[in-house]
Amino acid sequence: MLQSQSPKSPHIASRLNAVRSEMAKHQLDAFIQPRADEYLGEYVPAHNERLHWLTDFTGSAGMAIVMKDSAAIFTDGRYTVQVRQQVDSTLFSYESLTDMPQAQWLAEKLPAGCRIGYDPRLHTLAWQQDAEATLSKAGMTLVALDDNPVDLHWQGRPVPENKPIILFNAESAGKSSEQKRSEIGALVKKAGADVALIAALDSFCWLLNIRGQDVPRLPVVLGCALLEANGEMTLFTELAKLPQGIEAHVGAGVSFRAESELAEALQALEGRKLLADLNNANAFSQLQAKAAGAKLIAGLDPVALPKACKNSAELQGMRASHIRDGVAVSRFLAWLDAEVAAGRLYDEGTLADKLESYRLEDPLYREPSFDTISATGGNAAMCHYNHLNGTPAMMEMNSIYLVDSGAQYLDGTTDVTRTIAIGEVSAEQKKMVTLVLKGHIALDQARFPRGTTGQQLDAFARQYLWQHGFDYDHGTGHGVGHFLSVHEGPQRIGKNLNAIPLLPGMVLSNEPGYYRTDAFGIRLENLVEVRPCEALKGAEREIFEFDALTLIPMDKRLIDKSLLTEAELNWFNDYHSRVYQTLSPLMSDESLAWLEQATSPL
């Protein structure tokens, strides 16, 4: 057994024993603890980091399974190295999060008759249904727990700060909350429902024109909402966070209740039809409503698509924030080039902090939109590398530096990746950067008819890598919110099935890359807006195109000009001309001189 060895992490061994004591009370043979919290978002506030408490693992995706005399931690390929550094191998075995569903793993690991405990607040209903079916087939029972064993034993658990809700004015939002709620309510009715469970934090914040300070990197409020088909809405949240004037701000038809009253409200839905998203609302809420006699209607979050198609006011804010962000990042790149030329090299953490220092000068800046990926040399080959998970590496001469960063401004959200030459780079590295650039250009220049999905466009960005036997293992593009989530659905650009057509007003990333293990990593990322194609106005079909929002130089020193067609070379020079024309009036001195050189024709 794993526990026969002396644990290197006695505090974790003690916590596992505490969880096992709760398992014994409920006659459980296993307990499943995901990284997710009850809001099922990408980011988890400190007081909900249950997986970290149980395992010491700090990654953004993972799951632990505790059994009577052993335990396992499941992570994806991003964390193969990190999980072994952080999680005690005498207490946990290391398993793949992606190769096998955890319920199937349990079905193969344990005998029939076993009882598997889970916290229904921390899993989607889709997960619960799949897990129950898998375990039932193996003769096992999935048991919903009223209290999470971690919560019962978490001593010194951080206390939520309950910072006040931010009132986001209707001028910036482009529509009042009443307008939005009326329009989304009509969609709820169209779906055949009386009421919708709005579980995604960014969805109810968008509906009410509010933002929050409850989750790092994501300006949302913790809570949940019920939206009636007539547009009336109840927000369940910590009432201490409500600022003065919020009732007038959101308009008629909104009530506020303590989050602890959500279960009671769900139990009052007897005889009503509840629209809920199987994949983003937790199982607890939907099972509570169903047990009370509500009829569940499965459907996409009705807010997701309207929120993704930004209106003119939201797009205006996105464009303005990207120009200011372009100045900040360009100033950082100018500083970096000057430091490297002077022989002064820094570690990844110092570089990330220096980049943020330029953004901090903007009064509209609030925080990074995600943890900056500041990666030098072989670290950049890990596409979701985080220098905070270990000792930040020192930059080395004659290498490639990759920096993927973004900002939350009061008027928009940004996300950009640039790959930088530090000293001399090899012909092979230039070739790979140029192949990535060619894919970036092909996607940027794409024209496509209404109804086209991101899945159909994904190969535009990969084609040149494919022709040389290369590829990358992440999606090519994700949606981005308006002073909201930097990873916004439902649209995306990637190989995986996605049936959501790209529509005007959507903002997505264009970020092909290439990663050579232990050697280097490359990614070139701009955010783009979907818009009608002016050149083909009045054509037989309605045609859309992309327009770049990100305006920051790409490193010419990494480009092999001989691999570019004339059209690609023109795109590169035209893009840099646009960058210079837009940013130069806002820059001065050394950074302006750098910009002029960085954007001069290739």
Side-chain angles (χ1 to χ4, degrees):
M1 299 298 173
L2 286 169
Q3 269 64 32
S4 64
Q5 302 174 60
S6 177
K8 291 175 286 187
S9 307
H11 65 292
I12 296 297
S14 171
R15 292 170 185 179
L16 285 169
N17 287 336
V19 168
R20 290 187 177 113
S21 70
E22 296 300 324
M23 289 166 54
K25 292 176 189 175
H26 298 277
Q27 290 89 49
L28 298 176
D29 299 280
F31 170 66
I32 301 171
Q33 176 61 56
R35 195 264 174 160
D37 66 2
E38 47 268 51
Y39 309 104
L40 303 178
E42 181 179 1
Y43 300 101
V44 176
H47 68 278
N48 284 343
E49 287 277 15
R50 297 178 178 93
L51 185 66
H52 178 230
W53 180 88
L54 184 61
T55 67
D56 271 349
F57 178 64
T58 61
S60 64
M63 187 176 288
I65 296 181
V66 182
M67 294 168 286
K68 288 179 178 178
D69 53 13
S70 63
I73 183 161
F74 295 76
T75 58
D76 62 32
R78 291 176 290 173
Y79 299 113
T80 306
V81 175
Q82 182 183 328
V83 72
R84 284 165 171 78
Q85 293 172 342
Q86 294 181 326
V87 179
D88 189 341
S89 63
T90 68
L91 299 175
F92 293 87
S93 64
Y94 307 125
E95 308 290 344
S96 170
L97 190 64
T98 50
D99 289 352
M100 181 184 289
Q102 286 67 60
Q104 184 62 41
W105 184 87
L106 279 164
E108 295 180 10
K109 193 87 173 171
L110 298 178
C114 283
R115 288 164 51 83
I116 313 301
Y118 82 108
D119 183 341
R121 295 169 180 79
L122 312 185
H123 300 269
T124 65
L125 185 60
W127 179 93
Q128 186 270 345
Q129 291 173 343
D130 288 346
E132 191 166 61
T134 299
L135 294 171
S136 178
K137 197 184 296 183
M140 298 183 187
T141 307
L142 186 64
V143 181
L145 300 177
D146 292 332
D147 296 303
N148 189 303
V150 170
D151 296 358
L152 295 173
H153 292 274
W154 190 345
Q155 301 295 322
R157 184 176 179 178
V159 177
E161 292 186 57
N162 291 330
K163 293 179 181 175
I165 288 170
I166 299 167
L167 303 181
F168 193 63
N169 67 57
E171 187 180 341
S172 298
K175 282 183 182 177
S176 70
S177 173
E178 288 172 289
Q179 283 178 282
K180 290 179 179 180
R181 287 185 281 111
S182 174
E183 290 169 9
I184 305 300
L187 296 178
V188 174
K189 185 176 182 180
K190 189 177 177 182
D194 304 309
V195 59
L197 179 68
I198 309 298
L201 306 179
D202 56 340
S203 289
F204 69 70
C205 285
W206 181 86
L207 265 179
L208 293 173
N209 286 342
I210 60 174
R211 299 295 189 265
Q213 306 172 78
D214 293 346
V215 181
R217 314 308 186 221
L218 184 60
V220 294
V221 178
L222 292 179
C224 189
L226 290 170
L227 176 70
E228 301 282 340
N230 66 2
E232 292 183 358
M233 184 167 164
T234 304
L235 175 64
F236 299 85
T237 190
E238 173 54 59
L239 298 179
K241 292 185 295 203
L242 300 180
Q244 202 169 3
I246 191 168
E247 292 86 357
H249 175 78
V250 298
V254 178
S255 57
F256 300 93
R257 294 176 64 181
E259 196 170 356
S260 57
E261 296 178 26
L262 175 62
E264 179 189 330
L266 293 167
Q267 287 156 12
L269 293 176
E270 181 182 358
R272 306 193 73 200
K273 297 172 187 168
L274 176 69
L275 175 66
D277 192 324
L278 291 175
N279 293 298
N280 84 358
N282 69 44
F284 173 83
S285 302
Q286 294 171 80
L287 293 173
Q288 284 268 311
K290 187 178 180 182
K295 180 186 177 185
L296 296 183
I297 296 178
L300 287 175
D301 174 354
V303 178
L305 195 57
K307 173 168 60 66
C309 298
K310 291 158 186 61
N311 60 47
S312 57
E314 291 171 317
L315 288 171
Q316 184 179 337
M318 291 293 275
R319 292 187 194 110
S321 64
H322 275 81
I323 290 171
R324 299 193 314 277
D325 199 58
V327 171
V329 178
S330 295
R331 288 177 63 205
F332 165 74
L333 295 175
W335 169 84
L336 178 60
D337 268 6
E339 293 298 288
V340 171
R344 291 188 288 267
L345 302 180
Y346 299 87
D347 69 57
E348 296 161 332
T350 301
L351 293 169
D353 292 344
K354 184 66 177 180
L355 171 54
E356 191 185 12
S357 74
Y358 289 106
R359 287 179 165 135
L360 279 162
E361 295 178 25
D362 188 330
L364 299 185
Y365 175 74
R366 285 298 171 265
E367 63 178 333
S369 55
F370 55 96
D371 289 335
T372 297
I373 299 171
S374 174
T376 186
N379 288 341
M382 296 181 274
C383 56
H384 291 95
Y385 173 75
N386 189 335
H387 65 273
L388 299 174
N389 291 331
T391 303
M394 281 295 297
M395 179 181 282
E396 295 181 2
M397 283 301 293
N398 304 328
S399 68
I400 286 177
Y401 172 61
L402 183 151
V403 58
D404 184 350
S405 70
Q408 293 287 7
Y409 296 100
L410 286 175
D411 55 349
T413 301
T414 71
D415 180 4
V416 55
T417 310
R418 288 296 181 261
T419 304
I420 313 299
I422 306 300
E424 297 298 317
V425 293
S426 68
E428 173 69 6
Q429 289 171 327
K430 287 184 178 182
K431 170 189 166 185
M432 297 315 303
V433 173
T434 309
L435 293 178
V436 170
L437 173 65
K438 287 167 75 74
H440 181 102
I441 294 171
L443 184 59
D444 180 272
Q445 293 291 89
R447 293 174 174 178
F448 48 95
R450 177 180 285 275
T452 302
T453 69
Q455 185 187 11
Q456 291 170 298
L457 296 180
D458 181 70
F460 280 49
R462 298 181 192 268
Q463 58 182 312
Y464 301 102
L465 288 166
W466 285 353
Q467 287 173 14
H468 289 79
F470 303 112
D471 200 6
Y472 51 94
D473 294 328
H474 57 76
T476 299
H478 55 83
V480 177
H482 175 236
F483 187 36
L484 275 173
S485 178
V486 76
H487 293 137
E488 178 181 78
Q491 79 281 13
R492 66 189 303 273
I493 301 172
K495 291 181 181 180
N496 298 338
L497 181 64
N498 185 296
I500 303 297
L502 302 185
L503 294 166
M506 285 181 172
V507 173
L508 299 105
S509 63
N510 171 0
E511 52 178 309
Y514 173 73
Y515 310 91
R516 188 162 294 175
T517 306
D518 298 327
F520 59 89
I522 298 158
R523 190 157 62 251
L524 294 176
E525 176 187 20
N526 282 351
L527 296 193
V528 296
E529 165 200 340
V530 181
R531 67 180 186 184
C533 178
E534 196 62 37
L536 293 176
K537 194 175 181 180
E540 186 178 293
R541 299 284 179 97
E542 188 177 9
I543 302 294
F544 302 145
E545 64 182 1
F546 295 122
D547 182 43
L549 294 174
T550 306
L551 297 171
I552 296 166
M554 297 180 183
D555 195 339
K556 296 185 299 182
R557 297 167 298 188
L558 284 167
I559 306 304
D560 182 345
K561 186 176 174 181
S562 70
L563 295 178
L564 295 179
T565 65
E566 185 179 356
E568 290 166 340
L569 183 61
N570 288 340
W571 179 94
F572 192 78
N573 288 334
D574 288 347
Y575 174 74
H576 274 159
S577 174
R578 182 181 169 195
V579 169
Y580 182 78
Q581 295 300 326
T582 307
L583 302 188
S584 57
L586 305 172
M587 296 173 72
S588 60
D589 304 331
E590 294 88 352
S591 60
L592 177 58
W594 175 89
L595 182 73
E596 187 171 2
Q597 183 276 326
T599 58
S600 62
L602 184 62

